[in-house]
Amino acid sequence: MQVLLLLALTTRGPQQAHGTGRRGGLSTPVAVRAAGLAESPTVVSLTVESALASAAGAYSRATAEQPLALAAVQAAGLRCIGDRIAQQLFLYRGELASVSPQHIAAMGLIGFIVSGAGNFVWINHLEEKLGASVGPWDVLRKAGSDFVCWAPLANCAYLFGVPLLTGATPDLAAHNMQHEFLPTMGMELSIFAPYNLFAFSLIPLRARPISSALTSLLFTIAIASRC
């Protein structure tokens, strides 16, 4: 890309390439824009590439320096997106009169605390206690521990917390949690159990918050109607 940009500049003539035409003393970027080259696919491509590289670098630094905060923020964001998608599907099917920003915010808040920060602490604790996965038995132990120990707590937080935050009484929220618990755990088994078998064996610990959050996006769409 840099070679193509250099060729484009040189074909405009020496005065424009060096930014010293009749108007005097123009810098190279200004001369390029004056010549209309700023809109060329090459320059746009370079700008996009630079922006993506900058974003990737910032994400990498955040992963290394503030992994807990990053996990919480991205989990909250993806929970909000998942809930918004679910509500839109309900609108299309005529099962919802309008979008509820309060419900989206509640899902995001529980996601920030439970799926983000809580899940990050839990996964690191699991790795510390059970060690690295060196065989199928280690992977099964971790996946089983996650389903038995963490999943019930996390799902109850959504089934009780989201209704409570959106106006339900504690009794109604508790009833919702009891009524929807088993169906939700069934969805957990069908979505997160296969993911955990894959994650505990192949995905590095450092990359799991984002992969787990992306899986949670699918789970959020499924669980939204139960909260």
Side-chain angles (χ1 to χ4, degrees), residues 35-102:
L37 291 178
E39 300 300 325
S40 70
T42 300
V43 174
V44 171
S45 178
L46 286 172
T47 303
V48 171
E49 184 179 339
S50 176
L52 290 175
S54 177
Y59 184 85
S60 224
R61 287 192 299 274
T63 301
E65 297 170 5
Q66 299 290 338
L68 177 60
L70 180 63
V73 169
Q74 65 191 13
L78 287 170
R79 288 292 186 181
C80 289
I81 293 171
D83 191 62
R84 180 63 181 84
I85 293 172
Q87 290 193 44
Q88 193 63 47
L89 292 174
F90 297 147
L91 281 173
Y92 286 147
R93 293 188 333 215
E95 299 175 9
L96 193 67
S98 61
V99 172
S100 171
Q102 188 179 9

Side-chain angles (χ1 to χ4, degrees), residues 68-80 105-123 150 153-155 157-158 161-162 165:
L68 177 60
L70 180 63
V73 169
Q74 65 191 13
L78 287 170
R79 288 292 186 181
C80 289
M107 289 289 283
L109 178 60
I110 301 295
F112 183 91
I113 298 170
V114 178
S115 298
N119 189 64
F120 179 88
V121 173
W122 161 249
I123 291 298
W150 176 250
L153 294 176
N155 289 331
Y158 283 96
V162 173
L165 290 171

Side-chain angles (χ1 to χ4, degrees), residues 131-173:
S133 301
V134 295
W137 173 240
D138 294 324
V139 174
L140 287 173
R141 278 198 308 159
K142 289 178 181 177
S145 298
D146 185 77
F147 182 78
V148 172
C149 300
W150 176 250
L153 294 176
N155 289 331
C156 283
Y158 283 96
L159 296 175
F160 178 81
V162 173
L164 190 67
L165 290 171
T166 52
T169 64
D171 287 343
L172 285 176

Side-chain angles (χ1 to χ4, degrees), residues 67-68 71 116-131 142 200 205-206 208-209:
L68 177 60
N119 189 64
F120 179 88
V121 173
W122 161 249
I123 291 298
N124 280 271
H125 171 75
L126 200 61
E127 289 290 335
E128 181 182 346
K129 292 298 181 182
L130 298 183
K142 289 178 181 177
F200 286 127
L205 181 61
R206 188 173 174 180
R208 277 185 214 155

